Amino acid sequence: MAFEDIKLQAVPMGRDLAILVTGGVEHIGAASTAYWNGENIEVETSAVPGHKEHVLTVNMAREAARRLKCTVTVVMGIHYDHLSKAEIAEVSDRTEAVLGEYLSSCSE
């Protein structure tokens, strides 16, 4: 399974950015906001009980904020039934890839 239906939507909000990442059965599983505190990036996260997207949103928000130099909120909801550990790793790789593609397009 290539998880090609995983997609990223970016919504500018003034000088900041909201990023939505969805795939499979779309929903809200977790949200992480990364913001600059002086020279450091802080991240605050909220996860719906029973969901594990926060494992991905924390680093995605931090990386986007670092690269784009703004506050970034990543909201993610990805659900597929009965994934193996290898498939979970593929989902993680795919989310990193779509974020990387987006961030690369921002610097062009």
Side-chain angles (χ1 to χ4, degrees), residues 7-11 18-22 28 73-77 98:
K7 64 184 179 206
L8 181 149
Q9 296 172 280
V11 180
I19 295 175
L20 308 176
V21 182
T22 57
I28 296 174
T73 295
V74 175
V75 177
M76 185 180 293
V98 296

Side-chain angles (χ1 to χ4, degrees), residues 78-92:
I78 297 173
H79 178 82
Y80 302 97
D81 288 330
H82 314 295
L83 292 181
S84 67
K85 287 184 179 183
E87 289 170 320
I88 292 168
E90 285 181 52
V91 168
S92 177

Side-chain angles (χ1 to χ4, degrees), residues 9-76:
Q9 296 172 280
V11 180
M13 300 185 71
R15 66 177 189 238
D16 300 322
L17 185 67
I19 295 175
L20 308 176
V21 182
T22 57
V25 178
E26 298 177 348
H27 63 285
I28 296 174
S32 294
T33 299
Y35 59 93
W36 287 87
N37 183 6
E39 293 186 20
N40 299 312
I41 298 174
E42 305 287 336
V43 181
E44 296 192 21
T45 298
S46 177
V48 175
H51 292 261
K52 295 182 173 61
E53 287 91 347
H54 65 281
V55 173
L56 301 174
T57 60
V58 170
N59 291 332
M60 291 178 76
R62 180 178 286 118
E63 178 64 10
R66 184 187 70 77
R67 297 251 317 255
L68 300 174
K69 307 285 190 247
C70 67
T71 296
V72 176
T73 295
V74 175
V75 177
M76 185 180 293

